Amino acid sequence: MSLAQLLDSRLLMVTGKGGTGKTTFASAMGILGAAKGKRVVVCEVDTQRPALPAIFETEVHFDPVEVHPGLSVCNITWNEALHAYLRRSLPMKRLVRMVLENQLIARLLDITPGSREVVILSRVGNLLEEYDLVVVDMPASGHAFSLLDILSTLLTLFRSGPVRQRALELQELIHDLRTRLVFLAIPEEMVINETIETWTRMEGAELIGGSPYIFLNRATLPSLTEEERALIGRLSKVKLDPLRREFVQAGVWEDRLEQATEGAQARLAEAFHMDPVLVPPAGGGGNPRAVVGRVALHLGRMVGVARRELPWT
Amino acid sequence: MDMNRWLDGQRLVVCVGSGGVGKTTTAASIGVWAAARGRKVMVLTIDPAKRLANSLGLDAIGGEGARIDLSPVAPAEGGSLHAMMLDSRGTFDAIIGRVAPTEELRDRVLSNTVYRYMADSFASSQDYMATEKLYDLVSSGQYDLVVLDTPPVKNALDFLESPGRVVSFFDERVYGWFVDTYDQESVKGGFFGRKLMASTSAMVWKLLSYVLGEEFLGELASFFKDFQALYEGFRERHDAVLSMLRAPGTAFVSVCAPNEASIEIARYFQGELSARALPSHGVIVNQVHRCEGEVHDAAALLGDTLDGVAPGVDPSTRAAILARLGMAHRRLAKLAQGEQELTGAVRSVLTPEQFYREVPRLEDEVHELGSLYEVGKHLFEGP
């Protein structure tokens, strides 16, 4: 499946180990989707440290805020999501208030298996009714697994009632072929290990219908020739003063980065049955908005969205 | 701060941090250093133990533990180093078996649907078992110092508090209300049941059974009832573990690498430790890139050296490799500078009583005693 087809999904769940650039990537995909004329919403999930406000330079709330024609952002916060969920499942407003204000119920919901997950997924389901494309910046990989896995647990625990009904609907949604799980990794051994481990578990548990998509972020594209590598190797064996030594070390460092990318690429390709899409470091630092702009531009080239179509750069 | 004096004062050092930051190496180095100073040290790891074994130059270490040959670092009198994997294979079922007063009660708990869910995901039995073993080992008094390498997860502190999680799960007020209401509701055909039930409780109950379903509430209530008898056992253990973690001589050390994600997690740990009143003693940043040179002209500096090792190299190759090295050096300098800015975020939240140490990225993988000792030098000696 091509990257352009990926944008034709209805739901993109972006996951990966912390620090792999999930939020940046999710935002860039949202921008590209909107550039292709879709109504898109990018969501964070009840995070303690929201990153979307800095990227889109706006306050982000539970209710989506449109930041550009066709592109909205939101934060699926637990309390509001619970509110929305109860409003859907309870017949009277007074009852909703009662549940929300009752300490005992709050405590019980805390410990009821899966209550958090089903409420959050349920909100994602609601957003799909209003948008063409929903991009979810998922929690880090381990938690993403439990977020998706919880539905089968719920179905064994609840043999009747509205929770079961909703869980069934959500399971259908997640197994829909237009729902895609997108993994982000960076070329570091621990990150690659965890990414592969998470996907293997998900694949084994048949948690999701469509095949996943994998991106290797901060990839150092191979450029050193064999001869150059050999020369660096020879230089590193010479005894040098600290200043000169630094140059040789810099060469060794870069060689290692290239090799790490190559190694990660091969391992991911085997586990995901597709070549990972390489994304070079956005570089140049700068504010989060600028970084997202550069990533969108790079991915845009792959999906045929030109710079002038991106309001962002 | 005199790092050696600090180390001599500790009985339990807990290394926390995210994965891939060299936490295992740090724990092993602290162990090697303390043992070389003449103390009897145990380094503990949870899983995978292979990394610790490798860094100590062993093939494997098991639940039995292994004594490490310290002769390469010539330890002071009385120093010895042991490594062990905290075997956490035991299941939560086994714990229930131990705390349950009767067999009948044990079987009832074990077959409850709610319990099955809990045992699988919530109570994280591995964490619980490991915490119990850590407690046993520290309180046995067999070692002068225990160094713990925690699992590479963000919730490493949850791991240490896993007995507490079980305790707070069974907040007495909640399950008291729950069990009472359930009992009353289940006899609500009777005159008294109806009368005694406060109207709010009845309403709340109705709502719950609407949202969650009668069957589930029934399972939950019977589980709560049965678990009451087990509660005390969990609570005692929790209190003992907490007081061990807060005792003088226990130190938490955050280990991180100079990248944004890791630094952020280290800051998060600092906050969590102080929120839980756990003794946070300092931060160690591993894998720091150093680049001091301010000129990036490789041709001028290295041209002659290159001609020395590769005489007669093609002039265009010569120019290309020198240009590459110059560019790489420029990038490395920028990276090193960026790292210093990042670590500034950690340094700024430390108090004067806490230490801050950096270990440069070593050119080779650290996997034998000698190189662990070298890491120790960066930690305990030098500026």
Side-chain angles (χ1 to χ4, degrees), chain A residues 6-51:
Chain A
L6 188 65
L7 275 177
D8 287 331
S9 309
R10 292 285 330 273
L11 171 59
L12 289 180
M13 295 186 286
V14 183
T15 188
K17 200 166 152 65
T20 49
K22 284 192 296 288
T23 313
T24 301
F25 181 85
S27 305
M29 288 305 274
I31 291 170
L32 293 175
K36 289 234 168 203
K38 295 175 196 300
R39 282 178 49 76
V40 189
V41 62
V42 179
C43 347
E44 279 185 298
V45 176
D46 200 35
T47 166
Q48 305 288 312
R49 297 167 302 236

Side-chain angles (χ1 to χ4, degrees), chain B residues 11-309:
Chain B
R11 286 193 55 221
L12 169 62
V13 173
V14 183
C15 300
V16 295
S18 50
V21 298
K23 195 157 26 114
T24 302
T25 304
T26 302
S29 310
I30 293 174
V32 169
W33 194 264
R37 285 175 70 77
R39 300 181 77 198
K40 192 171 177 200
V41 184
M42 166 61 82
V43 181
L44 287 173
T45 191
I46 314 285
D47 199 34
K50 235 180 112 193
R51 280 204 301 273
L52 178 64
N54 288 345
S55 71
L56 290 165
L58 299 173
D59 289 333
I61 44 173
E64 296 303 301
R67 183 168 175 169
I68 316 294
D69 174 22
L70 274 181
S71 53
V73 298
E77 178 76 29
S80 68
L81 181 63
H82 309 258
M84 190 192 280
M85 177 183 142
L86 277 181
D87 183 2
S88 55
R89 271 169 309 173
T91 61
F92 207 67
D93 293 4
I95 303 173
I96 299 290
R98 217 169 47 219
V99 251
T102 66
E103 268 180 42
E104 192 208 338
L105 184 60
R106 180 198 64 198
D107 295 343
R108 242 192 359 248
V109 170
L110 293 184
S111 59
N112 185 288
T113 322
V114 178
Y115 169 76
R116 290 262 46 101
Y117 167 80
M118 252 193 59
D120 286 350
S121 56
F122 171 81
S124 185
S125 54
Q126 290 207 335
D127 292 359
Y128 191 88
M129 296 301 275
T131 321
E132 289 224 328
K133 296 233 169 109
L134 173 69
Y135 177 77
D136 290 342
L137 207 66
V138 172
S139 53
S140 75
Q142 268 180 287
Y143 301 94
D144 302 332
L145 172 68
V146 174
V147 184
L148 174 68
D149 167 30
T150 57
V153 286
K154 202 166 169 179
N155 54 3
L157 299 177
D158 288 353
F159 148 74
L160 290 164
E161 292 198 337
S162 55
R165 248 181 300 157
V166 177
V167 171
S168 63
F169 186 88
F170 296 103
D171 182 315
E172 278 168 285
R173 279 170 311 139
V174 176
Y175 74 66
W177 173 83
F178 196 88
V179 169
D180 289 350
T181 314
Y182 179 76
D183 285 350
Q184 291 176 30
E185 274 292 290
S186 51
V187 295
K188 73 177 158 198
F191 174 75
F192 290 105
R194 231 179 242 290
K195 258 247 146 108
L196 286 173
M197 186 94 161
S199 67
T200 329
S201 279
M203 195 63 157
V204 166
W205 188 263
K206 231 184 233 145
L207 265 179
L208 283 175
S209 50
Y210 176 73
V211 178
L212 301 175
E214 294 273 359
E215 284 146 320
F216 179 72
L217 286 187
E219 288 269 8
L220 201 58
S222 60
F223 176 61
F224 278 174
K225 253 192 218 170
D226 290 340
F227 220 87
Q228 269 172 333
L230 279 54
Y231 180 80
E232 199 49 32
F234 280 103
R235 213 181 51 92
E236 274 168 22
R237 198 64 178 189
H238 170 59
D239 292 347
V241 168
L242 262 192
S243 59
M244 167 184 81
L245 295 177
R246 289 178 183 148
T250 296
F252 283 76
V253 174
S254 305
V255 184
C256 60
N259 61 62
E260 221 162 308
S262 172
I263 294 282
E264 208 185 305
I265 292 174
R267 285 185 58 149
Y268 166 82
F269 270 129
Q270 289 300 309
E272 286 290 289
L273 286 169
S274 78
R276 295 168 195 229
L278 293 169
S280 162
H281 282 216
V283 172
I284 294 170
V285 186
N286 278 327
Q287 306 166 358
V288 176
H289 290 91
R290 297 254 163 93
C291 190
E292 319 275 326
E294 281 167 11
V295 279
H296 309 295
D297 186 353
L301 281 164
L302 272 178
D304 295 346
T305 317
L306 184 66
D307 296 336
V309 293

Side-chain angles (χ1 to χ4, degrees), chain A residues 17-20 48-49 85-86 89-92 94-96 98-99 102-105 107-115 117 143 150 153 156-164 188-190 193-194 218 221-225 227-229 231-232 234-236 238-241 243-256 258 283-285, chain B residues 18-21 51 113-114 117 122 152 154-155 167-171 173-174 177-178 199-200 203-204 207-217 219-220 224 259 261 264-265 268 289-298 300-302 305-306 309-311 313-314 317-318 320-321 324-332 334-335 361-365:
Chain A
K17 200 166 152 65
T20 49
Q48 305 288 312
R49 297 167 302 236
Y85 180 84
L86 291 173
S89 14
L90 291 177
M92 280 186 292
R94 199 168 68 85
L95 294 181
V96 174
M98 217 171 126
V99 172
N102 190 297
Q103 293 283 315
L104 286 170
I105 299 196
R107 194 85 187 79
L108 205 64
L109 280 174
D110 260 358
I111 61 175
T112 298
S115 55
E117 287 84 355
H143 298 286
I150 201 68
T153 309
T156 52
L157 272 180
F158 296 93
R159 275 151 287 176
S160 61
V163 174
R164 183 182 178 84
E188 277 177 24
E189 201 190 339
M190 296 286 289
N193 290 348
E194 194 180 304
R218 281 179 231 146
L221 306 178
S223 68
L224 284 168
T225 63
E227 193 183 12
E228 285 171 340
R229 275 191 177 153
L231 284 174
I232 293 175
R234 263 195 260 174
L235 279 173
S236 65
V238 186
K239 210 164 169 54
L240 293 168
D241 61 80
L243 181 61
R244 288 181 169 79
R245 174 124 207 101
E246 255 181 26
F247 280 84
V248 181
Q249 273 169 348
V252 172
W253 168 67
E254 200 151 89
D255 184 19
R256 287 219 178 130
E258 290 184 4
Chain B
S18 50
V21 298
R51 280 204 301 273
T113 322
V114 178
Y117 167 80
F122 171 81
K154 202 166 169 179
N155 54 3
V167 171
S168 63
F169 186 88
F170 296 103
D171 182 315
R173 279 170 311 139
V174 176
W177 173 83
F178 196 88
S199 67
T200 329
M203 195 63 157
V204 166
L207 265 179
L208 283 175
S209 50
Y210 176 73
V211 178
L212 301 175
E214 294 273 359
E215 284 146 320
F216 179 72
L217 286 187
E219 288 269 8
L220 201 58
F224 278 174
N259 61 62
E264 208 185 305
I265 292 174
Y268 166 82
H289 290 91
R290 297 254 163 93
C291 190
E292 319 275 326
E294 281 167 11
V295 279
H296 309 295
D297 186 353
L301 281 164
L302 272 178
T305 317
L306 184 66
V309 293
V313 67
D314 182 69
T317 307
R318 182 184 185 277
I321 184 74
R324 284 298 303 255
L325 290 178
M327 262 155 35
H329 186 262
R330 196 185 292 271
R331 268 200 287 274
L332 186 60
K334 205 170 158 193
L335 176 72
R361 179 177 280 272
L362 301 169
E363 278 180 53
D364 298 304
E365 298 257 322

